Amino acid sequence: MLQPEQIQTFADELYHALRHQQMLAPLTERAPDITIEDAYAISSALLQKRIEIDGEKVIGKKIGVTSKAVQNMLGVHQPDFGYLTDAMVVDESEPLSLTTRMIQPRAEGEIAFVLKHDLIGPGVTATDVLRATDFVVPCFEIVDSRVKDWKIKIQDTVADNASCGYFLLGSQAADPRKLDLSTVGMVVELNGQVISTGAGAAALGSSPVSCVVWLANTLGKFGVPLKAGEVILSGSLVPLQPVKAGDYMSVSIGGIGRTAVRFT
């Protein structure tokens, strides 16, 4: 377990790396005794710096590492969470500059939930999640890691705000109460070619709803609610895709809609 000064030092390092597009050696190599609780404390301290120094505002949360495809790719075998801020939003019509804003980006297709009521765990159920959701939309999360070469363990990605980068929400929305989110299909294309397909059941082996249940109950242990109006990214249903300037990606989700992002 880390000392408070070690937690703050790692948060300072991650903030500097984020702002200057730099990579760090894995935290788990430099502090082998780091716990997941330590990592979430680092993540919170990093978030506080973004709020206090840059004026960013929390507008939601994200769930990461929910599908077997992503878990196997990263060698991380449990979900995690991070915070979304207003500085991470990419407009659907706006290209995303990788060279000026990111380090080692990868994109993933997801289903995003937009809440109309608070969700406060523990004890949140799938029914509670559906009742609290205003609508769902197709989403791209463009993840990034400040840890060199993505050599991460669960503590590294948690500390790094769940490897957050940017996210883009589609303009097409659907009522999740009228869908079976465990069976919806996802198709991701890169430069006009299908590169991956997935289904809602890839999310924690169940449904994206189960991911939001997990998040609400996990955050409830820390006394943190999911708030009305917040965006919740429920985790990828397909493998992460490295992207470069000039790439164009689209994601289509049955019964929900389509969105796309161009990288420059």
Side-chain angles (χ1 to χ4, degrees), residues 99-161:
T99 55
T100 61
R101 298 168 75 174
M102 305 195 80
I103 304 168
Q104 41 188 355
R106 298 178 177 184
E108 55 187 3
E110 302 191 19
I111 296 171
F113 291 65
V114 179
L115 302 182
K116 60 181 177 181
H117 302 302
D118 291 358
L119 278 171
I120 305 173
V124 170
T125 67
T127 299
D128 295 329
V129 169
L130 291 174
R131 286 174 178 165
T133 301
D134 194 4
F135 54 86
V136 293
V137 296
C139 168
F140 266 118
E141 183 185 358
I142 303 90
V143 297
D144 202 5
S145 180
R146 272 53 64 179
V147 177
K148 188 175 182 180
D149 300 328
W150 282 93
K151 291 182 178 179
I152 58 173
K153 295 182 179 179
I154 185 67
Q155 297 95 325
D156 295 297
T157 185
V158 164
D160 192 21
N161 195 29

Tab-separated table of all heavy atoms in Angstrom, residues 99-161:
chain	number	residue	atom	x	y	z
A	99	THR	N	-2.387	13.810	-33.446
A	99	THR	CA	-1.006	14.268	-33.293
A	99	THR	C	-0.882	15.360	-32.241
A	99	THR	O	0.171	15.491	-31.604
A	99	THR	CB	-0.455	14.784	-34.629
A	99	THR	OG1	-1.334	15.791	-35.140
A	99	THR	CG2	-0.358	13.657	-35.638
A	100	THR	N	-1.920	16.126	-32.013
A	100	THR	CA	-1.826	17.230	-31.054
A	100	THR	C	-2.511	16.919	-29.730
A	100	THR	O	-2.360	17.676	-28.770
A	100	THR	CB	-2.459	18.514	-31.629
A	100	THR	OG1	-3.846	18.280	-31.896
A	100	THR	CG2	-1.766	18.927	-32.919
A	101	ARG	N	-3.250	15.794	-29.650
A	101	ARG	CA	-4.041	15.565	-28.451
A	101	ARG	C	-3.850	14.192	-27.806
A	101	ARG	O	-4.322	13.967	-26.694
A	101	ARG	CB	-5.538	15.760	-28.775
A	101	ARG	CG	-5.867	17.163	-29.229
A	101	ARG	CD	-7.250	17.286	-29.819
A	101	ARG	NE	-8.300	17.271	-28.824
A	101	ARG	CZ	-9.603	17.481	-29.107
A	101	ARG	NH1	-9.972	17.725	-30.351
A	101	ARG	NH2	-10.496	17.443	-28.168
A	102	MET	N	-3.149	13.269	-28.490
A	102	MET	CA	-3.081	11.910	-27.962
A	102	MET	C	-1.681	11.331	-28.110
A	102	MET	O	-0.827	11.888	-28.803
A	102	MET	CB	-4.128	11.032	-28.633
A	102	MET	CG	-5.550	11.599	-28.517
A	102	MET	SD	-6.840	10.396	-28.906
A	102	MET	CE	-6.922	9.498	-27.360
A	103	ILE	N	-1.456	10.177	-27.464
A	103	ILE	CA	-0.132	9.561	-27.429
A	103	ILE	C	-0.115	8.249	-28.201
A	103	ILE	O	0.615	8.081	-29.172
A	103	ILE	CB	0.310	9.311	-25.972
A	103	ILE	CG1	0.272	10.616	-25.167
A	103	ILE	CG2	1.729	8.720	-25.932
A	103	ILE	CD1	0.416	10.414	-23.662
A	104	GLN	N	-0.909	7.275	-27.764
A	104	GLN	CA	-0.971	5.955	-28.408
A	104	GLN	C	-2.439	5.510	-28.430
A	104	GLN	O	-2.837	4.607	-27.697
A	104	GLN	CB	-0.065	4.953	-27.689
A	104	GLN	CG	-0.090	5.032	-26.188
A	104	GLN	CD	0.964	4.166	-25.520
A	104	GLN	OE1	1.701	3.400	-26.163
A	104	GLN	NE2	1.045	4.252	-24.204
A	105	PRO	N	-3.235	6.161	-29.282
A	105	PRO	CA	-4.693	5.996	-29.244
A	105	PRO	C	-5.188	4.684	-29.829
A	105	PRO	O	-4.605	4.123	-30.753
A	105	PRO	CB	-5.189	7.174	-30.087
A	105	PRO	CG	-4.077	7.421	-31.065
A	105	PRO	CD	-2.817	7.150	-30.286
A	106	ARG	N	-6.288	4.221	-29.247
A	106	ARG	CA	-7.030	3.077	-29.764
A	106	ARG	C	-8.510	3.414	-29.631
A	106	ARG	O	-8.934	4.007	-28.644
A	106	ARG	CB	-6.711	1.809	-28.975
A	106	ARG	CG	-5.252	1.379	-29.046
A	106	ARG	CD	-4.986	0.142	-28.206
A	106	ARG	NE	-3.608	-0.324	-28.328
A	106	ARG	CZ	-3.146	-1.432	-27.763
A	106	ARG	NH1	-3.948	-2.205	-27.048
A	106	ARG	NH2	-1.883	-1.797	-27.913
A	107	ALA	N	-9.304	3.000	-30.617
A	107	ALA	CA	-10.727	3.328	-30.614
A	107	ALA	C	-11.564	2.078	-30.376
A	107	ALA	O	-11.183	0.972	-30.774
A	107	ALA	CB	-11.129	3.979	-31.939
A	108	GLU	N	-12.701	2.272	-29.728
A	108	GLU	CA	-13.598	1.152	-29.451
A	108	GLU	C	-15.043	1.626	-29.548
A	108	GLU	O	-15.382	2.746	-29.162
A	108	GLU	CB	-13.317	0.553	-28.071
A	108	GLU	CG	-13.362	1.545	-26.931
A	108	GLU	CD	-12.908	0.944	-25.609
A	108	GLU	OE1	-12.503	-0.224	-25.590
A	108	GLU	OE2	-12.972	1.648	-24.585
A	109	GLY	N	-15.897	0.750	-30.092
A	109	GLY	CA	-17.318	1.046	-30.179
A	109	GLY	C	-18.038	0.642	-28.903
A	109	GLY	O	-17.745	-0.417	-28.339
A	110	GLU	N	-18.963	1.488	-28.463
A	110	GLU	CA	-19.662	1.241	-27.214
A	110	GLU	C	-21.112	1.707	-27.311
A	110	GLU	O	-21.504	2.395	-28.251
A	110	GLU	CB	-18.993	1.999	-26.053
A	110	GLU	CG	-17.544	1.666	-25.838
A	110	GLU	CD	-17.005	2.239	-24.532
A	110	GLU	OE1	-17.815	2.570	-23.644
A	110	GLU	OE2	-15.771	2.340	-24.407
A	111	ILE	N	-21.872	1.350	-26.284
A	111	ILE	CA	-23.206	1.905	-26.064
A	111	ILE	C	-23.113	2.840	-24.870
A	111	ILE	O	-22.632	2.450	-23.805
A	111	ILE	CB	-24.239	0.797	-25.795
A	111	ILE	CG1	-24.385	-0.106	-27.032
A	111	ILE	CG2	-25.594	1.396	-25.409
A	111	ILE	CD1	-25.227	-1.345	-26.795
A	112	ALA	N	-23.543	4.086	-25.069
A	112	ALA	CA	-23.518	5.067	-23.983
A	112	ALA	C	-24.928	5.253	-23.432
A	112	ALA	O	-25.901	5.323	-24.188
A	112	ALA	CB	-22.972	6.399	-24.487
A	113	PHE	N	-25.013	5.324	-22.111
A	113	PHE	CA	-26.270	5.577	-21.413
A	113	PHE	C	-26.284	7.029	-20.945
A	113	PHE	O	-25.296	7.508	-20.380
A	113	PHE	CB	-26.396	4.672	-20.181
A	113	PHE	CG	-26.577	3.209	-20.477
A	113	PHE	CD1	-25.582	2.459	-21.103
A	113	PHE	CD2	-27.760	2.562	-20.115
A	113	PHE	CE1	-25.753	1.108	-21.368
A	113	PHE	CE2	-27.939	1.202	-20.367
A	113	PHE	CZ	-26.932	0.482	-20.996
A	114	VAL	N	-27.404	7.705	-21.156
A	114	VAL	CA	-27.590	9.058	-20.626
A	114	VAL	C	-28.706	8.982	-19.586
A	114	VAL	O	-29.814	8.525	-19.893
A	114	VAL	CB	-27.929	10.068	-21.733
A	114	VAL	CG1	-28.149	11.461	-21.131
A	114	VAL	CG2	-26.809	10.106	-22.773
A	115	LEU	N	-28.406	9.395	-18.368
A	115	LEU	CA	-29.322	9.187	-17.247
A	115	LEU	C	-30.300	10.341	-17.076
A	115	LEU	O	-29.959	11.506	-17.310
A	115	LEU	CB	-28.530	9.000	-15.952
A	115	LEU	CG	-27.527	7.847	-15.910
A	115	LEU	CD1	-26.874	7.780	-14.540
A	115	LEU	CD2	-28.200	6.521	-16.257
A	116	LYS	N	-31.509	9.993	-16.629
A	116	LYS	CA	-32.497	11.014	-16.271
A	116	LYS	C	-32.747	11.048	-14.768
A	116	LYS	O	-33.374	11.978	-14.265
A	116	LYS	CB	-33.808	10.775	-17.014
A	116	LYS	CG	-34.485	9.434	-16.754
A	116	LYS	CD	-35.758	9.306	-17.569
A	116	LYS	CE	-36.422	7.940	-17.375
A	116	LYS	NZ	-37.652	7.796	-18.172
A	117	HIS	N	-32.283	10.014	-14.054
A	117	HIS	CA	-32.395	9.959	-12.595
A	117	HIS	C	-31.068	9.498	-12.006
A	117	HIS	O	-30.285	8.807	-12.667
A	117	HIS	CB	-33.496	8.982	-12.156
A	117	HIS	CG	-34.848	9.289	-12.685
A	117	HIS	ND1	-35.491	10.488	-12.468
A	117	HIS	CD2	-35.700	8.550	-13.459
A	117	HIS	CE1	-36.671	10.474	-13.059
A	117	HIS	NE2	-36.815	9.305	-13.678
A	118	ASP	N	-30.813	9.860	-10.760
A	118	ASP	CA	-29.619	9.396	-10.075
A	118	ASP	C	-29.685	7.884	-9.853
A	118	ASP	O	-30.766	7.297	-9.708
A	118	ASP	CB	-29.490	10.062	-8.705
A	118	ASP	CG	-29.183	11.550	-8.781
A	118	ASP	OD1	-29.039	12.068	-9.912
A	118	ASP	OD2	-29.085	12.183	-7.718
A	119	LEU	N	-28.511	7.262	-9.811
A	119	LEU	CA	-28.366	5.858	-9.414
A	119	LEU	C	-27.334	5.826	-8.295
A	119	LEU	O	-26.191	6.256	-8.481
A	119	LEU	CB	-27.883	5.002	-10.585
A	119	LEU	CG	-28.913	4.529	-11.599
A	119	LEU	CD1	-28.215	3.896	-12.796
A	119	LEU	CD2	-29.885	3.533	-10.972
A	120	ILE	N	-27.734	5.320	-7.152
A	120	ILE	CA	-26.842	5.304	-5.997
A	120	ILE	C	-26.777	3.887	-5.440
A	120	ILE	O	-27.775	3.351	-4.959
A	120	ILE	CB	-27.320	6.282	-4.910
A	120	ILE	CG1	-27.486	7.694	-5.494
A	120	ILE	CG2	-26.341	6.298	-3.746
A	120	ILE	CD1	-28.101	8.687	-4.538
A	121	GLY	N	-25.618	3.262	-5.545
A	121	GLY	CA	-25.433	1.929	-5.002
A	121	GLY	C	-25.051	1.986	-3.543
A	121	GLY	O	-24.857	3.066	-2.986
A	122	PRO	N	-24.964	0.835	-2.888
A	122	PRO	CA	-25.154	-0.518	-3.430
A	122	PRO	C	-26.635	-0.882	-3.572
A	122	PRO	O	-27.505	-0.110	-3.183
A	122	PRO	CB	-24.468	-1.390	-2.381
A	122	PRO	CG	-24.616	-0.615	-1.105
A	122	PRO	CD	-24.535	0.832	-1.485
A	123	GLY	N	-26.870	-2.037	-4.152
A	123	GLY	CA	-28.235	-2.536	-4.289
A	123	GLY	C	-28.915	-2.177	-5.590
A	123	GLY	O	-30.093	-2.513	-5.790
A	124	VAL	N	-28.205	-1.515	-6.511
A	124	VAL	CA	-28.790	-1.163	-7.806
A	124	VAL	C	-28.960	-2.426	-8.648
A	124	VAL	O	-28.075	-3.276	-8.715
A	124	VAL	CB	-27.901	-0.135	-8.539
A	124	VAL	CG1	-28.352	0.049	-9.983
A	124	VAL	CG2	-27.926	1.201	-7.806
A	125	THR	N	-30.103	-2.541	-9.310
A	125	THR	CA	-30.416	-3.687	-10.163
A	125	THR	C	-30.513	-3.268	-11.622
A	125	THR	O	-30.535	-2.069	-11.940
A	125	THR	CB	-31.741	-4.333	-9.747
A	125	THR	OG1	-32.811	-3.399	-10.031
A	125	THR	CG2	-31.753	-4.674	-8.263
A	126	ALA	N	-30.623	-4.243	-12.512
A	126	ALA	CA	-30.794	-3.947	-13.938
A	126	ALA	C	-32.074	-3.151	-14.175
A	126	ALA	O	-32.106	-2.239	-15.010
A	126	ALA	CB	-30.808	-5.247	-14.734
A	127	THR	N	-33.119	-3.487	-13.455
A	127	THR	CA	-34.378	-2.742	-13.584
A	127	THR	C	-34.186	-1.285	-13.183
A	127	THR	O	-34.710	-0.371	-13.834
A	127	THR	CB	-35.475	-3.385	-12.711
A	127	THR	OG1	-35.689	-4.721	-13.158
A	127	THR	CG2	-36.776	-2.612	-12.803
A	128	ASP	N	-33.425	-1.055	-12.121
A	128	ASP	CA	-33.141	0.309	-11.690
A	128	ASP	C	-32.406	1.090	-12.784
A	128	ASP	O	-32.706	2.269	-13.037
A	128	ASP	CB	-32.283	0.308	-10.429
A	128	ASP	CG	-32.987	-0.286	-9.224
A	128	ASP	OD1	-34.226	-0.171	-9.141
A	128	ASP	OD2	-32.288	-0.874	-8.371
A	129	VAL	N	-31.444	0.437	-13.419
A	129	VAL	CA	-30.673	1.097	-14.477
A	129	VAL	C	-31.582	1.495	-15.631
A	129	VAL	O	-31.517	2.627	-16.140
A	129	VAL	CB	-29.533	0.192	-14.972
A	129	VAL	CG1	-28.903	0.746	-16.250
A	129	VAL	CG2	-28.480	0.034	-13.891
A	130	LEU	N	-32.438	0.595	-16.068
A	130	LEU	CA	-33.334	0.899	-17.186
A	130	LEU	C	-34.294	2.032	-16.827
A	130	LEU	O	-34.562	2.915	-17.647
A	130	LEU	CB	-34.101	-0.355	-17.594
A	130	LEU	CG	-33.250	-1.455	-18.245
A	130	LEU	CD1	-34.077	-2.707	-18.468
A	130	LEU	CD2	-32.663	-0.967	-19.570
A	131	ARG	N	-34.799	2.026	-15.614
A	131	ARG	CA	-35.702	3.102	-15.192
A	131	ARG	C	-34.997	4.454	-15.139
A	131	ARG	O	-35.603	5.496	-15.401
A	131	ARG	CB	-36.286	2.769	-13.820
A	131	ARG	CG	-37.348	1.672	-13.824
A	131	ARG	CD	-37.753	1.325	-12.408
A	131	ARG	NE	-38.812	0.311	-12.384
A	131	ARG	CZ	-39.149	-0.384	-11.302
A	131	ARG	NH1	-38.499	-0.173	-10.146
A	131	ARG	NH2	-40.103	-1.290	-11.367
A	132	ALA	N	-33.723	4.433	-14.771
A	132	ALA	CA	-32.979	5.687	-14.597
A	132	ALA	C	-32.411	6.229	-15.901
A	132	ALA	O	-31.949	7.367	-15.949
A	132	ALA	CB	-31.844	5.476	-13.601
A	133	THR	N	-32.446	5.426	-16.973
A	133	THR	CA	-31.842	5.831	-18.235
A	133	THR	C	-32.829	6.614	-19.091
A	133	THR	O	-33.959	6.180	-19.315
A	133	THR	CB	-31.352	4.601	-19.011
A	133	THR	OG1	-30.391	3.894	-18.219
A	133	THR	CG2	-30.707	5.005	-20.332
A	134	ASP	N	-32.386	7.759	-19.580
A	134	ASP	CA	-33.195	8.559	-20.500
A	134	ASP	C	-33.157	7.931	-21.895
A	134	ASP	O	-34.192	7.663	-22.506
A	134	ASP	CB	-32.672	9.989	-20.526
A	134	ASP	CG	-33.644	10.951	-21.189
A	134	ASP	OD1	-34.755	10.519	-21.560
A	134	ASP	OD2	-33.307	12.144	-21.332
A	135	PHE	N	-31.935	7.670	-22.391
A	135	PHE	CA	-31.779	7.043	-23.707
A	135	PHE	C	-30.365	6.488	-23.823
A	135	PHE	O	-29.488	6.798	-23.010
A	135	PHE	CB	-32.060	8.035	-24.840
A	135	PHE	CG	-31.260	9.306	-24.780
A	135	PHE	CD1	-29.991	9.392	-25.341
A	135	PHE	CD2	-31.773	10.433	-24.146
A	135	PHE	CE1	-29.249	10.566	-25.282
A	135	PHE	CE2	-31.045	11.619	-24.076
A	135	PHE	CZ	-29.785	11.681	-24.648
A	136	VAL	N	-30.171	5.664	-24.845
A	136	VAL	CA	-28.849	5.147	-25.175
A	136	VAL	C	-28.478	5.590	-26.581
A	136	VAL	O	-29.350	5.797	-27.435
A	136	VAL	CB	-28.774	3.601	-25.067
A	136	VAL	CG1	-28.928	3.164	-23.628
A	136	VAL	CG2	-29.822	2.924	-25.948
A	137	VAL	N	-27.173	5.745	-26.823
A	137	VAL	CA	-26.680	6.186	-28.129
A	137	VAL	C	-25.442	5.387	-28.502
A	137	VAL	O	-24.727	4.889	-27.628
A	137	VAL	CB	-26.331	7.701	-28.130
A	137	VAL	CG1	-27.561	8.550	-27.891
A	137	VAL	CG2	-25.259	8.007	-27.100
A	138	PRO	N	-25.159	5.278	-29.816
A	138	PRO	CA	-23.881	4.689	-30.220
A	138	PRO	C	-22.754	5.643	-29.860
A	138	PRO	O	-22.930	6.871	-29.870
A	138	PRO	CB	-24.024	4.527	-31.732
A	138	PRO	CG	-25.042	5.551	-32.134
A	138	PRO	CD	-25.973	5.690	-30.976
A	139	CYS	N	-21.609	5.082	-29.554
A	139	CYS	CA	-20.513	5.896	-29.029
A	139	CYS	C	-19.175	5.345	-29.497
A	139	CYS	O	-19.018	4.135	-29.676
A	139	CYS	CB	-20.597	5.886	-27.500
A	139	CYS	SG	-19.156	6.532	-26.639
A	140	PHE	N	-18.225	6.232	-29.711
A	140	PHE	CA	-16.829	5.857	-29.835
A	140	PHE	C	-16.089	6.388	-28.624
A	140	PHE	O	-16.216	7.561	-28.277
A	140	PHE	CB	-16.181	6.462	-31.090
A	140	PHE	CG	-16.203	5.555	-32.285
A	140	PHE	CD1	-16.889	5.920	-33.433
A	140	PHE	CD2	-15.529	4.343	-32.273
A	140	PHE	CE1	-16.912	5.091	-34.539
A	140	PHE	CE2	-15.544	3.505	-33.375
A	140	PHE	CZ	-16.240	3.877	-34.508
A	141	GLU	N	-15.346	5.516	-27.961
A	141	GLU	CA	-14.374	5.990	-26.989
A	141	GLU	C	-13.004	5.804	-27.613
A	141	GLU	O	-12.687	4.727	-28.129
A	141	GLU	CB	-14.441	5.234	-25.668
A	141	GLU	CG	-13.455	5.820	-24.654
A	141	GLU	CD	-13.368	5.049	-23.360
A	141	GLU	OE1	-14.095	4.054	-23.195
A	141	GLU	OE2	-12.549	5.439	-22.515
A	142	ILE	N	-12.210	6.865	-27.608
A	142	ILE	CA	-10.842	6.788	-28.107
A	142	ILE	C	-9.957	6.778	-26.876
A	142	ILE	O	-9.724	7.816	-26.241
A	142	ILE	CB	-10.500	7.947	-29.058
A	142	ILE	CG1	-11.493	7.979	-30.236
A	142	ILE	CG2	-9.092	7.769	-29.612
A	142	ILE	CD1	-12.718	8.802	-30.021
A	143	VAL	N	-9.525	5.596	-26.501
A	143	VAL	CA	-8.737	5.450	-25.285
A	143	VAL	C	-7.277	5.784	-25.569
A	143	VAL	O	-6.818	5.776	-26.717
A	143	VAL	CB	-8.867	4.037	-24.687
A	143	VAL	CG1	-10.300	3.762	-24.275
A	143	VAL	CG2	-8.396	2.976	-25.674
A	144	ASP	N	-6.563	6.088	-24.510
A	144	ASP	CA	-5.153	6.432	-24.619
A	144	ASP	C	-4.496	6.024	-23.314
A	144	ASP	O	-5.157	5.934	-22.281
A	144	ASP	CB	-4.990	7.933	-24.855
A	144	ASP	CG	-3.662	8.296	-25.500
A	144	ASP	OD1	-2.893	7.378	-25.853
A	144	ASP	OD2	-3.392	9.499	-25.663
A	145	SER	N	-3.222	5.777	-23.355
A	145	SER	CA	-2.517	5.389	-22.135
A	145	SER	C	-1.259	6.217	-21.991
A	145	SER	O	-0.501	6.390	-22.948
A	145	SER	CB	-2.156	3.901	-22.153
A	145	SER	OG	-1.473	3.549	-20.965
A	146	ARG	N	-1.070	6.724	-20.797
A	146	ARG	CA	0.173	7.418	-20.485
A	146	ARG	C	1.260	6.419	-20.100
A	146	ARG	O	2.406	6.813	-19.878
A	146	ARG	CB	-0.062	8.408	-19.341
A	146	ARG	CG	-0.531	9.799	-19.760
A	146	ARG	CD	-1.734	9.861	-20.647
A	146	ARG	NE	-2.949	9.351	-20.016
A	146	ARG	CZ	-4.139	9.330	-20.596
A	146	ARG	NH1	-4.269	9.732	-21.846
A	146	ARG	NH2	-5.192	8.857	-19.968
A	147	VAL	N	0.927	5.153	-20.024
A	147	VAL	CA	1.894	4.106	-19.677
A	147	VAL	C	2.509	3.569	-20.972
A	147	VAL	O	1.806	3.157	-21.887
A	147	VAL	CB	1.221	2.972	-18.883
A	147	VAL	CG1	2.224	1.861	-18.599
A	147	VAL	CG2	0.646	3.524	-17.588
A	148	LYS	N	3.820	3.562	-21.040
A	148	LYS	CA	4.528	3.253	-22.274
A	148	LYS	C	4.149	1.898	-22.846
A	148	LYS	O	4.127	0.888	-22.138
A	148	LYS	CB	6.045	3.312	-22.025
A	148	LYS	CG	6.868	3.205	-23.299
A	148	LYS	CD	8.344	3.390	-23.014
A	148	LYS	CE	9.148	3.325	-24.313
A	148	LYS	NZ	10.598	3.510	-24.060
A	149	ASP	N	3.830	1.918	-24.150
A	149	ASP	CA	3.558	0.705	-24.926
A	149	ASP	C	2.377	-0.104	-24.404
A	149	ASP	O	2.287	-1.309	-24.648
A	149	ASP	CB	4.805	-0.193	-24.997
A	149	ASP	CG	5.983	0.499	-25.654
A	149	ASP	OD1	5.755	1.337	-26.552
A	149	ASP	OD2	7.129	0.219	-25.261
A	150	TRP	N	1.473	0.541	-23.673
A	150	TRP	CA	0.294	-0.144	-23.135
A	150	TRP	C	0.685	-1.337	-22.257
A	150	TRP	O	-0.069	-2.302	-22.141
A	150	TRP	CB	-0.638	-0.615	-24.254
A	150	TRP	CG	-1.492	0.473	-24.839
A	150	TRP	CD1	-1.223	1.242	-25.925
A	150	TRP	CD2	-2.780	0.908	-24.364
A	150	TRP	NE1	-2.242	2.128	-26.155
A	150	TRP	CE2	-3.221	1.946	-25.216
A	150	TRP	CE3	-3.607	0.514	-23.308
A	150	TRP	CZ2	-4.436	2.594	-25.063
A	150	TRP	CZ3	-4.819	1.152	-23.142
A	150	TRP	CH2	-5.226	2.184	-24.011
A	151	LYS	N	1.822	-1.268	-21.599
A	151	LYS	CA	2.246	-2.372	-20.727
A	151	LYS	C	1.609	-2.184	-19.347
A	151	LYS	O	2.274	-1.829	-18.367
A	151	LYS	CB	3.769	-2.429	-20.645
A	151	LYS	CG	4.405	-2.854	-21.967
A	151	LYS	CD	5.913	-2.952	-21.853
A	151	LYS	CE	6.521	-3.424	-23.169
A	151	LYS	NZ	8.002	-3.499	-23.102
A	152	ILE	N	0.317	-2.426	-19.299
A	152	ILE	CA	-0.451	-2.087	-18.106
A	152	ILE	C	-0.939	-3.315	-17.358
A	152	ILE	O	-1.243	-4.349	-17.958
A	152	ILE	CB	-1.672	-1.204	-18.457
A	152	ILE	CG1	-2.574	-1.913	-19.474
A	152	ILE	CG2	-1.231	0.150	-18.957
A	152	ILE	CD1	-3.877	-1.191	-19.741
A	153	LYS	N	-0.996	-3.171	-16.061
A	153	LYS	CA	-1.760	-4.057	-15.208
A	153	LYS	C	-2.977	-3.265	-14.748
A	153	LYS	O	-3.091	-2.077	-15.024
A	153	LYS	CB	-0.909	-4.534	-14.023
A	153	LYS	CG	0.271	-5.403	-14.447
A	153	LYS	CD	1.065	-5.890	-13.251
A	153	LYS	CE	2.226	-6.779	-13.689
A	153	LYS	NZ	3.039	-7.239	-12.538
A	154	ILE	N	-3.877	-3.919	-14.049
A	154	ILE	CA	-5.114	-3.259	-13.661
A	154	ILE	C	-4.828	-1.986	-12.862
A	154	ILE	O	-5.494	-0.955	-13.035
A	154	ILE	CB	-6.049	-4.217	-12.880
A	154	ILE	CG1	-7.384	-3.556	-12.576
A	154	ILE	CG2	-5.381	-4.720	-11.606
A	154	ILE	CD1	-8.242	-3.256	-13.763
A	155	GLN	N	-3.801	-1.990	-12.009
A	155	GLN	CA	-3.493	-0.801	-11.210
A	155	GLN	C	-3.023	0.362	-12.082
A	155	GLN	O	-3.316	1.527	-11.794
A	155	GLN	CB	-2.424	-1.115	-10.159
A	155	GLN	CG	-2.835	-2.139	-9.120
A	155	GLN	CD	-2.388	-3.538	-9.496
A	155	GLN	OE1	-2.360	-3.906	-10.678
A	155	GLN	NE2	-2.017	-4.329	-8.488
A	156	ASP	N	-2.283	0.050	-13.167
A	156	ASP	CA	-1.801	1.105	-14.055
A	156	ASP	C	-2.948	1.805	-14.767
A	156	ASP	O	-2.998	3.037	-14.827
A	156	ASP	CB	-0.845	0.516	-15.104
A	156	ASP	CG	0.417	-0.041	-14.498
A	156	ASP	OD1	1.192	0.729	-13.903
A	156	ASP	OD2	0.632	-1.268	-14.613
A	157	THR	N	-3.860	1.027	-15.318
A	157	THR	CA	-4.953	1.649	-16.062
A	157	THR	C	-5.925	2.370	-15.136
A	157	THR	O	-6.426	3.437	-15.460
A	157	THR	CB	-5.681	0.619	-16.956
A	157	THR	OG1	-6.655	1.304	-17.750
A	157	THR	CG2	-6.344	-0.473	-16.170
A	158	VAL	N	-6.184	1.822	-13.958
A	158	VAL	CA	-7.061	2.505	-13.001
A	158	VAL	C	-6.477	3.857	-12.619
A	158	VAL	O	-7.169	4.882	-12.629
A	158	VAL	CB	-7.279	1.631	-11.750
A	158	VAL	CG1	-7.851	2.466	-10.597
A	158	VAL	CG2	-8.219	0.475	-12.064
A	159	ALA	N	-5.187	3.886	-12.270
A	159	ALA	CA	-4.546	5.141	-11.870
A	159	ALA	C	-4.599	6.176	-12.981
A	159	ALA	O	-4.750	7.380	-12.730
A	159	ALA	CB	-3.096	4.880	-11.471
A	160	ASP	N	-4.523	5.705	-14.226
A	160	ASP	CA	-4.517	6.573	-15.408
A	160	ASP	C	-5.940	6.877	-15.877
A	160	ASP	O	-6.212	6.960	-17.072
A	160	ASP	CB	-3.710	5.884	-16.510
A	160	ASP	CG	-3.386	6.803	-17.672
A	160	ASP	OD1	-3.415	8.027	-17.497
A	160	ASP	OD2	-3.112	6.268	-18.763
A	161	ASN	N	-6.863	7.007	-14.920
A	161	ASN	CA	-8.267	7.301	-15.217
A	161	ASN	C	-8.851	6.318	-16.220
A	161	ASN	O	-9.529	6.693	-17.180
A	161	ASN	CB	-8.444	8.741	-15.717
A	161	ASN	CG	-9.903	9.183	-15.692
A	161	ASN	OD1	-10.696	8.722	-14.869
A	161	ASN	ND2	-10.274	10.067	-16.604
